[in-house]
Amino acid sequence: MARLRCTWSSWGNAVNLTTQDALVIVDVQNDFCPGGSLAVATGAEVARTMTRVAYVFSEQGARVYATQDWHPVGHSSFKESGGPWPPHCVQGSQGAEFHPELNLPDGHEIIKKGNDPSVDAYSGFLDSNLEERLNAADVTRVFVGGLATDYCVLNTVLDACRIGFETYLVSDAIGAVNVRSGDGERAIEEMIGAGAKAIRFDDEVA
Ligand code: VGL
Ligand code: ZN
């Protein structure tokens, strides 16, 4: 059992990763990064940090999943259809591709969501088979980071907690849209309130 050196927000400690652990990288896609239609300012940094985290997981035998927001043209969440968002992550478009600085280790699995035109699947567990895949792999602990803190990361973490996974937020590999200022901070509080544990990936010792 190898050690992932992390700094826990609540107490200094380290995580021992096992094959029952999974990293869920949420929506690190071009449209959520600078230059994209729904950009998070720190998106490229999140991509770089997540790449390092993903390789640590893979080297220790833990699993790596990456979700991809994957909307049909004219999706109900788009402004043109009465939704809140500019068109983003349209299936097959450049904006829907993973950010070029997100490099994923061999064996990673991709989870597409948001394909149903009428459902805004913020959670990686909605409109996908992520829960089945995690159960089939005997996963008990789920580590979540990516974009955006206040939407898809929030809802993925809340679902992971509700399903009963021991859930960790990789808090230095997330970024918020912040439609209202403070949304990201409030989302972090909500996740911790739901039972998620916030950790930081410490690149100086990892
Ligand atoms: C997201 C808004 C719309 C996200 C996805 O990935 O957080 N946000 N679709
Ligand atoms: Zn979306």
Side-chain angles (χ1 to χ4, degrees):
M1 216 191 294
R3 299 189 111 196
L4 169 65
R5 291 164 197 234
C6 290
T7 309
W8 297 62
S9 63
S10 45
W11 68 95
N13 211 329
V15 176
N16 297 307
L17 287 177
T18 78
T19 55
Q20 287 180 291
D21 292 327
L23 177 65
V24 177
I25 302 169
V26 175
D27 296 4
V28 181
Q29 293 166 265
N30 287 324
D31 270 340
F32 298 124
C33 296
S37 63
L38 190 34
V40 171
T42 57
E45 286 146 59
V46 169
R48 289 192 283 272
T49 304
M50 265 307 184
T51 295
R52 294 203 305 277
V53 178
Y55 277 87
V56 171
F57 269 67
S58 175
E59 281 157 16
Q60 314 302 354
R63 296 185 177 256
V64 176
Y65 299 83
T67 71
Q68 204 170 14
D69 212 30
W70 194 249
H71 295 311
V73 170
H75 187 264
S76 59
S77 74
F78 296 173
K79 280 185 177 137
E80 66 206 45
S81 311
W85 305 115
H88 63 277
C89 299
V90 172
Q91 295 173 7
S93 70
Q94 178 67 21
E97 294 303 311
F98 290 123
H99 188 275
E101 291 177 274
L102 181 71
N103 295 308
L104 296 175
D106 288 347
H108 72 271
E109 296 183 39
I110 292 173
I111 309 284
K112 288 186 161 61
K113 65 179 176 67
N115 181 48
D116 184 331
S118 62
V119 177
D120 206 356
Y122 288 137
S123 167
F125 289 97
L126 204 64
D127 190 17
S128 84
N129 62 356
L130 179 57
E131 183 177 353
E132 290 78 3
R133 289 211 223 175
L134 293 173
N135 287 333
D138 267 336
V139 167
T140 58
R141 299 196 301 183
V142 173
F143 296 72
V144 183
L147 303 171
T149 311
D150 32 2
Y151 293 93
C152 289
V153 171
L154 170 65
N155 285 281
T156 301
V157 164
L158 294 180
D159 275 350
C161 291
R162 193 179 41 73
I163 291 164
F165 293 109
E166 194 178 334
T167 307
Y168 296 81
L169 175 69
V170 187
S171 57
D172 55 344
I174 55 176
V177 174
N178 282 325
V179 171
R180 287 150 302 182
S181 84
D183 278 355
E185 289 306 314
R186 281 188 290 275
I188 292 171
E189 280 167 28
E190 193 177 343
M191 292 185 264
I192 291 170
K197 296 169 198 156
I199 59 169
R200 293 181 66 81
F201 177 73
D202 188 344
D203 54 358
E204 285 177 39
V205 295

